[in-house]
């Protein structure tokens, strides 16, 4: 019977959440706690989420609006990824104090560095407000009432299941967040873009911050009088390590998944959208990389921009490969056919396809604008031009202008071109020549009317697209009409699941709200006969070490440590050799936004920091494959060793609770 059911349902994207698929709302985690405990979890649903007592949620933060962080001391000490703190680290870096290259280690709290516009948010509570809104209360009214409850409160009403449910998320926001420590990029970004999304991985992707509050422990703007925040809860740090098969749980803010999109959308992503964006970003990355190789100052200046562009660029490549390998488009088609047969609602699918066909030119042009014309500055401030580095940057900025105009002109074939650009190309002979003209104005005469007209024209097209789609957010390639249809479709999927006794199988798409995912430490079969073990060690770093390559040139102190084997309490015996664990794989379902999320063991102790997925996992935003989808975490023992033995900041460990 089991074999028959697997045959019947294995091709269905809507099959029950199997293995370790799913991103679950913490306030509803009691519905999953039985499965979690069966897989080894030792705590309760209240330990994960509670509004009446301190729980794990009180140790997790939304970091800088797009990552996750976790509290590891009673004095506001926070861990997240190096790449999440990258902008902050870069902002403090100069040729004289190159914290990107050499790392940063505050020797006292007086040396911790404040950061403009960097904040963290703690979830105060989440609650369903579907009935309140159905009764006529608006989202704005609900938000205003919630924010009035406390100092520094920020609230949002978020949709689940395409609007079938509405939840209020109330946060407490702290705006004084200071940089405490960051390893050299050759540790924190070891392997650079070459190793990004790749396993085996040896990246010590962590950085350390501290949350500060006013004397009343409430949010406050930066002040020398502020004191370390005293959290309701912080994570105990486990030094026991992990082994294959161990339970793991991830608690964080996944950004966006697209589990329930139409088959037509999957085809668009794999055949049109991703390939277009990959090609354009390849050109941008080549231009920036050439500049970085030419001058150390430019390497620092463009570091964060290059990393940001490259991250999605490589992810999309893996996504296309995964979608094609799994045959996701064909699976979706079969699921839709079975849905129509089982529910009798073929009409909703027909209407979805019609609306997607209508909206596709607007999606495409919006994405093209985002990758080209909307990336440009259209003017440089006088103080920016006074910076001696600006003269060195000009050839690169000009090349980026030329590439953006060229790609837009070559690829804008679904909507009428912007008249001002057509006229400019006609006058100057080519998109690149017109770009040179506009760049000259942006540098020398940014208030020129021609610049203003072009910006207005680009903005007008963008506004027209938003108007035609009826929504500013294009999350999951939607429109106002598609949202209505998706709500009907997804509700039909849920009723179908309930009829087939698969209740609770469907989790809401990620939308940068706090979620729980769980699984186990596990390797996977990368290719026929090639099994990837779930743990890497310091020996692998030494094997990759190459002083001639920036991203692989590790600090001499790390080489010396490996040679001496003086690891102290951080060393372990693996395969008959003394070494230090660096990274591990697990089966937790993650996506962007989960960067920096705590990886917890069965006792709720911190064992790692999530920072990536394997390249063959990047299609998990659309289809999760339990056989190969793996998240990558830096082992907390490596983090502690680097802080202690490389950074000489062992005092930070003294304020942690180590077990």
């Amino acid at each position: 019977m089991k074999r028959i059911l697997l045959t019947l349902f294995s091709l269905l994207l809507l099959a029950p959440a199997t293995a370790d698929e799913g991103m679950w709302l913490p306030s509803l985690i009691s519905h999953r706690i039985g499965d979690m405990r069966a897989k080894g979890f030792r705590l309760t649903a209240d330990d994960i989420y509670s509004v009446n007592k301190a729980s794990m949620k009180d140790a997790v933060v939304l970091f800088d609006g797009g990552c996750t962080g976790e509290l590891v001391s009673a004095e506001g000490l926070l861990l997240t990824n190096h790449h999440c703190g990258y902008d902050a680290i870069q902002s403090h870096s100069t040729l004289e104090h190159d914290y990107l290259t050499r790392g940063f280690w505050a020797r006292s709290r007086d040396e911790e560095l404040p950061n403009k516009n960097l904040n963290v948010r703690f979830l105060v509570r989440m609650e369903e407000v579907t009935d309140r809104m159905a009764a006529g209360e608006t989202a704005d009214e609900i938000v205003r009432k919630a924010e009035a409850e406390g100092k520094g409160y920020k609230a949002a009403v978020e949709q689940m299941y395409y609007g079938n449910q509405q939840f209020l998320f109330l946060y407490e926001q702290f705006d004084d967040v200071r940089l405490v420590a960051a390893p050299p990029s050759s540790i924190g970004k070891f392997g650079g873009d070459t190793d990004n999304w790749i396993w085996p991985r040896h990246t010590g992707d962590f950085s350390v911050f501290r949350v500060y509050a006013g004397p009343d422990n409430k949010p406050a703007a930066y002040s020398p009088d502020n004191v370390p925040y005293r959290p309701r809860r912080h994570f105990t740090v486990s030094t026991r390590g992990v082994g294959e098969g161990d339970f793991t749980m991830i608690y964080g803010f996944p950004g966006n998944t697209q589990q329930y999109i139409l088959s037509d959308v999957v085809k668009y992503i794999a055949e049109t959208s991703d390939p277009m964006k990959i090609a354009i970003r390849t050109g941008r990355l080549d231009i920036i990389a050439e500049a970085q190789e030419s001058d150390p100052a430019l390497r620092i200046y463009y570091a964060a921009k290059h990393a940001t562009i490259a991250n999605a660029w490589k992810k999309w490549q893996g996504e296309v490969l995964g979608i094609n390998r799994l045959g996701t488009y064909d699976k979706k088609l079969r699921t839709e056919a079975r849905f129509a047969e089982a529910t009798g609602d073929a009409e909703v699918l027909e209407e979805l396809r019609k609306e997607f066909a209508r909206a596709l030119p607007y999606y495409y042009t919006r994405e093209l604008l985002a990758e080209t014309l909307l990336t440009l500055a259209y003017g440089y401030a006088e103080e920016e031009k006074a910076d001696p580095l600006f003269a060195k940057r000009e050839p690169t900025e000009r090349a980026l202008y030329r590439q953006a105009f060229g790609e837009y002109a070559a690829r804008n074939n679904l909507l009428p071109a912007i008249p001002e650009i057509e006229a400019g190309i006609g006058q100057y002979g080519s998109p690149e020549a017109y770009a040179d003209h506009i760049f000259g104005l942006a540098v020398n005469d940014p208030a020129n009317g021609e610049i203003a007209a072009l910006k207005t024209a680009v903005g007008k097209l963008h506004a027209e697209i938003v108007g035609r789609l009826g929504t500013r957010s294009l999350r999951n390639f939607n429109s106002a009409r598609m949202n209505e249809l998706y709500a009907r479709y997804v509700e039909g999927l849920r009723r179908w699941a309930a009829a087939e006794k698969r209740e609770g199988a469907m989790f809401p798409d990620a939308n940068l709200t706090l979620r729980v995912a769980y699984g186990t430490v596990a390797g996977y079969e990368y290719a026929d006969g090639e099994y990837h073990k779930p743990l890497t060690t310091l020996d692998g770093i030494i094997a990759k070490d190459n002083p001639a390559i920036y991203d692989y040139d590790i600090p001499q102190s790390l080489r010396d440590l490996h040679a001496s084997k003086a690891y102290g309490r951080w060393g372990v015996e693996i395969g008959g050799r003394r070494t230090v664990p660096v990274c591990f794989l697990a089966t937790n379902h993650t996506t962007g936004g989960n960067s920096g999320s705590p990886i917890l063991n069965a006792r709720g102790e911190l064992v790692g920091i999530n920072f990536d997925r394997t390249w063959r996992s990047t299609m998990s935003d659309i289809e999760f494959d339990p056989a190969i989808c793996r998240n990558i975490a830096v082992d907390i023992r490596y983090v502690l060793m680097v802080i202690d033995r490389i950074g000489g900041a062992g005092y930070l460990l003294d304020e942690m609770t180590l077990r």
Side-chain angles (χ1 to χ4, degrees):
M1 181 64 178
K2 182 178 180 182
R3 184 181 301 274
I4 294 171
L5 287 174
L6 284 173
T7 302
L8 179 62
F9 292 124
S10 63
L11 297 180
L12 298 181
L13 294 183
L14 129 87
T18 58
D20 303 311
E21 180 182 8
M23 300 175 177
W24 309 101
L25 293 169
S27 64
L28 304 177
I29 200 64
S30 59
H31 298 300
R32 306 295 306 179
I33 204 71
D35 187 53
M36 293 176 70
R37 293 183 66 83
K39 293 179 177 178
F41 188 58
R42 298 183 182 181
L43 303 178
T44 67
D46 275 353
D47 291 317
I48 295 173
Y49 176 91
S50 175
V51 294
N52 298 315
K53 67 175 185 176
S55 62
M56 291 183 196
K57 78 168 175 60
D58 300 308
V60 182
V61 300
L62 178 63
F63 181 87
D64 200 22
C67 281
T68 302
E70 53 272 4
L71 275 293
V72 291
S73 88
E75 299 175 88
L77 199 66
L78 180 151
L79 296 178
T80 189
N81 287 153
H82 184 269
H83 75 260
C84 292
Y86 204 73
D87 285 347
I89 302 165
Q90 182 201 32
S91 71
H92 296 295
S93 296
T94 62
L95 285 176
E96 182 181 2
H97 299 290
D98 187 356
Y99 299 137
L100 286 177
T101 299
R102 293 189 288 272
F104 171 76
W105 307 95
R107 300 303 173 188
S108 69
R109 292 184 184 172
D110 289 340
E111 294 185 3
E112 295 175 357
L113 301 176
N115 302 279
K116 291 182 179 179
N117 303 317
L118 175 59
N119 63 63
V120 299
R121 288 185 173 187
F122 293 85
L123 180 66
V124 177
R125 73 174 186 275
M126 57 177 293
E127 64 179 270
E128 187 171 0
V129 293
T130 309
D131 290 344
R132 288 171 63 181
M133 295 186 68
E137 196 170 2
T138 68
D140 287 344
E141 290 170 340
I142 292 171
V143 164
R144 280 198 301 273
K145 290 177 183 177
E147 290 184 343
E149 294 178 17
K151 182 180 180 181
Y153 278 11
K154 306 290 182 181
V157 172
E158 304 287 356
Q159 296 185 357
M160 303 293 163
Y161 301 110
Y162 287 89
N164 284 295
Q165 289 179 280
Q166 310 278 348
F167 280 79
L168 166 70
F169 288 82
L170 180 62
Y171 303 95
E172 189 174 27
Q173 178 172 307
F174 289 80
D175 296 314
D176 187 354
V177 183
R178 305 182 196 179
L179 177 63
V180 175
S185 287
S186 54
I187 290 177
K189 201 173 181 290
F190 182 79
D193 294 329
T194 303
D195 282 5
N196 192 21
W197 304 103
I198 298 298
W199 186 263
R201 197 68 172 275
H202 301 86
T203 309
D205 197 346
F206 78 93
S207 56
V208 188
F209 290 79
R210 192 183 303 278
V211 182
Y212 279 78
D216 59 356
N217 205 41
K218 296 297 183 182
Y222 169 79
S223 168
D225 297 328
N226 285 349
V227 296
Y229 171 64
R230 302 183 303 279
R232 298 179 70 198
R233 174 79 174 263
H234 69 274
F235 288 115
T236 294
V237 179
S238 171
T239 61
R240 281 186 290 245
V242 295
E244 190 155 15
D246 286 354
F247 176 90
T248 57
M249 168 183 151
I250 189 167
Y251 211 162
F253 290 85
N256 186 40
T257 57
Q258 306 175 73
Q259 300 291 317
Y260 310 112
I261 53 174
L262 195 67
S263 56
D264 302 55
V265 183
V266 173
K267 186 173 185 178
Y268 168 73
I269 290 170
E271 297 182 3
T272 303
S273 174
D274 281 1
M276 177 263 286
K277 293 181 292 190
I278 291 165
I280 294 174
R281 290 200 176 196
T282 299
R284 290 170 67 193
L285 288 169
D286 288 345
I287 292 168
I288 292 171
E290 183 178 354
Q292 289 182 294
E293 291 167 7
S294 70
D295 189 288
L298 293 178
R299 175 184 53 76
I300 294 172
Y301 179 82
Y302 285 113
K305 179 177 284 189
H306 188 283
T308 299
I309 296 169
N311 191 52
W313 166 78
K314 196 166 185 178
K315 182 255 187 183
W316 290 324
Q317 295 174 60
E319 184 171 75
V320 171
L321 289 172
I323 288 172
N324 291 335
R325 179 182 60 81
L326 290 172
T328 303
Y329 171 68
D330 289 335
K331 288 181 184 179
K332 283 279 192 183
L333 282 176
R334 289 193 288 272
T335 297
E336 289 158 6
R338 291 199 67 240
F339 168 86
E341 180 181 359
T343 67
D345 193 6
E347 181 187 29
V348 70
L349 292 168
E350 294 171 5
E351 291 300 314
L352 275 168
R353 290 194 168 90
K354 288 178 184 177
E355 175 60 15
F356 178 74
R358 181 195 75 82
L360 188 147
Y362 301 102
Y363 296 147
Y364 177 85
T365 305
R366 166 75 178 267
E367 290 194 292
L368 180 59
L369 283 171
E371 294 296 325
T372 56
L373 301 182
L374 291 175
T375 67
L376 303 177
Y378 293 110
Y380 297 91
E382 290 302 320
E383 61 183 38
E384 183 178 7
K385 290 186 287 185
D387 185 341
L389 185 59
F390 186 75
K392 292 183 178 181
R393 287 172 44 206
E394 276 197 73
T396 302
E397 299 292 316
R398 179 186 296 274
L400 290 171
Y401 261 75
R402 290 172 63 88
Q403 193 251 1
F405 276 88
E407 289 284 8
Y408 177 78
R411 296 177 183 274
N412 183 34
N413 55 0
L414 294 184
L415 288 181
I418 296 173
E420 286 79 357
I421 292 181
E422 283 189 315
I425 292 173
Q427 181 177 353
Y428 291 94
S430 71
E432 291 75 18
Y434 179 52
D436 284 337
H437 168 68
I438 294 297
F439 178 73
L441 293 178
V443 172
N444 300 310
D445 189 12
N448 186 283
E450 192 172 346
I451 285 273
L454 180 59
K455 285 177 65 177
T456 299
V458 173
K460 182 179 178 181
L461 176 57
H462 185 269
E464 180 185 351
I465 290 171
V466 170
R468 295 279 184 167
L469 294 176
T471 177
R472 182 167 294 278
S473 169
L474 297 192
R475 179 185 295 271
N476 300 351
F477 300 102
N478 62 0
S479 67
R481 174 61 176 155
M482 284 195 84
N483 275 343
E484 296 173 3
L485 294 167
Y486 269 132
R488 173 177 158 190
Y489 176 48
V490 171
E491 184 58 23
L493 289 174
R494 296 172 76 190
R495 288 197 302 270
W496 181 27
E500 297 193 349
K501 301 190 185 306
R502 291 178 283 114
E503 300 96 326
M506 293 175 59
F507 57 94
D509 270 325
N511 56 1
L512 206 63
T513 56
L514 192 59
R515 303 294 179 91
V516 172
Y518 57 93
T520 56
V521 176
Y524 70 107
E525 187 175 11
Y526 178 78
D528 184 34
E530 182 179 345
Y531 182 78
H532 280 189
K533 296 179 180 179
L535 188 70
T536 61
T537 69
L538 181 57
D539 296 347
I541 294 178
I542 299 301
K544 290 180 177 180
D545 178 28
N546 187 340
I549 303 175
Y550 177 79
D551 289 327
Y552 294 96
D553 182 16
I554 63 174
Q556 185 60 44
S557 56
L558 193 57
R559 297 186 186 106
D560 294 342
L561 189 64
H562 179 264
S564 69
K565 301 294 188 291
Y567 305 133
R569 56 178 166 165
W570 314 120
V572 298
E573 294 290 328
I574 297 179
R577 68 188 191 278
R578 188 76 171 166
T579 188
V580 179
V582 174
C583 295
F584 64 87
L585 291 174
T587 61
N588 304 295
H589 194 173
T590 64
T591 188
N594 276 128
S595 291
S597 295
I599 305 292
L600 308 168
N601 63 17
R603 293 171 292 277
E605 300 163 342
L606 185 68
V607 294
I609 306 172
N610 183 75
F611 70 93
D612 208 353
R613 286 174 281 173
T614 56
W615 201 40
R616 297 185 68 187
S617 302
T618 56
M619 78 296 175
S620 64
D621 292 348
I622 298 168
E623 179 180 4
F624 185 89
D625 181 359
I628 66 168
C629 284
R630 300 291 182 268
N631 66 298
I632 305 175
V634 56
D635 194 299
I636 200 64
R637 292 169 292 179
Y638 184 56
V639 173
L640 298 174
M641 189 211 71
V642 171
I643 292 173
D644 185 19
R645 297 303 176 94
I646 304 301
Y651 77 94
L652 293 174
L653 277 54
D654 294 338
E655 66 176 274
M656 299 181 192
T657 306
L658 303 183
R659 182 175 298 166

